[in-house]
Amino acid sequence: MALTAVSKTQPEAAVDAALARGQRRFGENRVQEAASRWAGPRGATPGLELRLIGPLQTNKAVEAVNLFDVIETVDRPGLVEALDRAAQKTGRSPRLLVQVNTGEEPQKAGVAPREADALVAACRSLGLPVEGLMAIPPVDEAAGPHFALLARIAARNGLATLSMGMSEDFALAVRFGATHVRLGTAIFGVRDEAVTTT
Ligand SMILES: *Cc1c(COP(=O)(O)O)cnc(C)c1O
């Protein structure tokens, strides 16, 4: 089970303290913010793994493939095509997770559960390295059924990585088979700014 430290909106000092303690896997939800934080010497830290956990616009695909080792938020065919073009242009091909909107919430990113298999197949048909699924359960529902659904979709597609579980529900996510939990508040304390998790 791997821990992704969600460093979005955290002060630089907090990120440096985590690096000093040996944390190497970080999650960011905005390409621009991540680029400025990880551009300098910090980004050259040996063993660093940067994961995009926020929505990605197609016009930022090139920047994203240059910056991130893993993109967890692949959620539509147009983005798959943009990532393929970006990979050809840059020669870099981050590992991909398909984000599934398990609660089918209109305001939330992610592919509908019934469309997940096709999106995984679209990645594979282009030779893109899709390795798992990611989800953010609805805040007002029990998370267990959402974690179970994500695990079922991963199993039937032969995908090994399950990024699920945040500060509030990571222990439950681990019981449902999470391979990666994404923790912000639990590691760094409460964030300053209000940040959406869609
Ligand atoms: C902010 C965020 C997290 C971390 O949330 P916490 O509740 O602070 O642990 C995890 N995943 C995603 C996608 C996020 O945007």
Side-chain angles (χ1 to χ4, degrees), residues 4 6 8 10 28-29 53-54 72-73 99 134-136 163 165-168 181-187 189 191 195-198:
T4 300
V6 177
K8 65 182 186 193
Q10 293 299 337
E28 293 280 356
N29 73 336
I53 61 170
E72 300 203 7
T73 52
Q99 181 178 357
M134 181 273 240
I136 309 167
S163 171
M166 302 171 31
S167 296
E168 291 295 316
V181 295
R182 308 177 307 267
L183 304 188
T185 316
I187 295 181
R191 281 180 291 279
V195 176
T196 58
T197 55
T198 51

Side-chain angles (χ1 to χ4, degrees), residues 141-196:
E141 287 180 31
H146 295 276
F147 295 150
L149 173 59
L150 198 70
R152 279 201 307 279
I153 299 171
R156 75 179 180 230
N157 283 284
L159 294 166
T161 298
L162 277 176
S163 171
M164 56 188 197
M166 302 171 31
S167 296
E168 291 295 316
D169 55 15
F170 67 89
L172 183 65
V174 170
R175 288 213 290 281
F176 280 95
T179 61
H180 290 68
V181 295
R182 308 177 307 267
L183 304 188
T185 316
I187 295 181
F188 293 108
V190 177
R191 281 180 291 279
D192 279 353
E193 307 149 53
V195 176
T196 58

